Amino acid sequence: RPTTTLAERPLQLTPADAAIEAPDQVPAGGQIVLRTRGPTGARHWVGVAEKGAPLGRHLAYEWIGAAHPAERKLQAPSTPGDYELRYVLENAERAALVRPLTVVDGGQALRGPAEVMAGSPLTVQLGNPIDGGHWVGIARIGSEPGQYLHHSSYAYVSAGQSEYTLSAPVQPGDYELRYVLVGPERVSARQPLQVTPAQATLTAPASVTAGSRFQVTASGPQGGNHWIGIAPVGSDANAYLAYCYTANIKDVCELTAPETAGSYEVRYVLQADETVVVARQPLRVQ
């Protein structure tokens, strides 16, 4: 007689066959702690999806196998709305069991400075920080939700930690601070940020002997990968023959002059999303 494949059988499970135990409501981006009861299989799974979405369009899932724990944690979607928890059997064309799930606004908030000097550190305070790969960062106004400027301009958010230090962009302009939830990425809180031009000074000898050590007194944005160095006149902003990081000095940087006589310059360089020379002074090597 003809055989019937699993995909062709009725797949609707009843409460007597299986169950998904989970909260009816969770905050956006938070954790859904759930337990399953019912058939186990190497490729059975439980997941969360938008209400009415096709079976393969899930947002998060976990396997339901004999070796997997009964209690599981899924990350809630980042956008409030109506969703479904689905119990799906291997090779199924539709969910065998569906439980409604409401995702509500988690009340995320963000507070930081309205203005900061280019390349300087800034502190951001978050309200309702939660785990899950979410992050706080600096981005250009109007850019995609997942965009940020540089690795030093964002930080992953941890539950219980409300304060984060970021590095301002090296170019002045209008930006924004963002608290971004993932799954998918959505800006849950934002604040405008004006970045003003960097103010930096250098004081160094006008001339030095080739190969000698000399000191440079400097002031300007600290931290990050900013540096003070020697480079040939007219060379690229990334060029250097000797340097010291501003994070490793207080006011004085000690450099070694090039071995070849000629015209050079001492530079104060900001390096993050771009490399920008914000101060320079001629240096003659004899």
Side-chain angles (χ1 to χ4, degrees):
R1 65 184 181 186
T3 59
T4 302
T5 67
L6 182 61
E8 293 170 340
R9 298 176 199 152
L11 293 175
Q12 195 68 31
L13 297 176
T14 69
D17 300 321
I20 301 173
E21 299 173 9
D24 297 323
Q25 179 177 293
V26 294
Q31 286 190 332
I32 309 166
V33 180
L34 57 86
R35 295 180 65 88
T36 56
R37 175 176 55 79
T40 60
R43 306 294 290 181
H44 298 350
W45 54 274
V46 60
V48 59
E50 294 179 355
K51 185 177 180 179
L55 188 63
R57 196 180 296 166
H58 53 270
L59 299 170
Y61 75 97
E62 289 283 348
W63 299 114
I64 306 175
H68 296 87
E71 183 174 289
R72 297 168 178 82
K73 294 179 180 179
L74 297 177
Q75 183 165 302
S78 60
T79 302
D82 294 326
Y83 295 86
E84 297 175 344
L85 292 171
R86 298 173 173 179
Y87 195 127
V88 182
L89 305 182
E90 182 178 6
N91 297 324
E93 295 180 346
R94 60 189 173 92
L97 183 69
V98 174
R99 178 190 172 104
L101 176 71
T102 301
V103 175
V104 298
D105 192 307
Q108 280 77 33
L110 177 152
R111 185 175 71 253
E115 182 179 291
V116 66
M117 185 171 66
S120 297
L122 62 107
T123 300
V124 180
Q125 298 280 343
L126 298 186
N128 294 326
I130 52 176
D131 290 323
H134 313 306
W135 53 274
V136 57
I138 305 170
R140 297 187 184 280
I141 295 174
S143 62
E144 292 297 315
Q147 294 295 310
Y148 58 88
L149 293 172
H150 185 258
H151 67 82
S152 62
S153 69
Y154 82 97
Y156 286 112
V157 175
S158 298
Q161 181 182 342
S162 60
E163 187 172 289
Y164 297 83
T165 299
L166 308 176
S167 244
V170 298
Q171 290 284 11
D174 293 323
Y175 299 85
E176 66 181 16
L177 298 168
R178 293 177 172 179
Y179 185 165
V180 180
L181 300 183
V182 298
E185 286 174 311
R186 179 179 73 90
V187 181
S188 62
R190 69 179 84 215
Q191 179 189 305
L193 175 69
Q194 184 178 23
V195 177
T196 61
Q199 302 296 319
T201 63
L202 292 169
T203 302
S207 63
V208 294
T209 304
S212 65
R213 298 282 290 176
F214 66 97
Q215 290 186 336
V216 178
T217 302
S219 67
Q222 299 291 305
N225 294 316
H226 310 329
W227 50 276
I228 297 162
I230 306 170
V233 175
S235 62
D236 186 82
N238 290 293
Y240 62 88
L241 299 171
Y243 71 94
C244 62
Y245 285 115
T246 62
N248 298 334
I249 66 169
K250 290 185 178 180
D251 300 308
V252 178
C253 168
E254 191 169 274
L255 298 172
T256 301
E259 294 290 346
T260 303
S263 297
Y264 299 86
E265 61 184 17
V266 178
R267 298 173 172 177
Y268 198 119
V269 182
L270 304 187
Q271 188 161 2
D273 50 306
E274 298 180 50
T275 304
V276 178
V277 180
V278 293
R280 63 184 85 216
Q281 179 182 315
L283 176 71
R284 180 68 185 173
V285 177
Q286 300 176 336

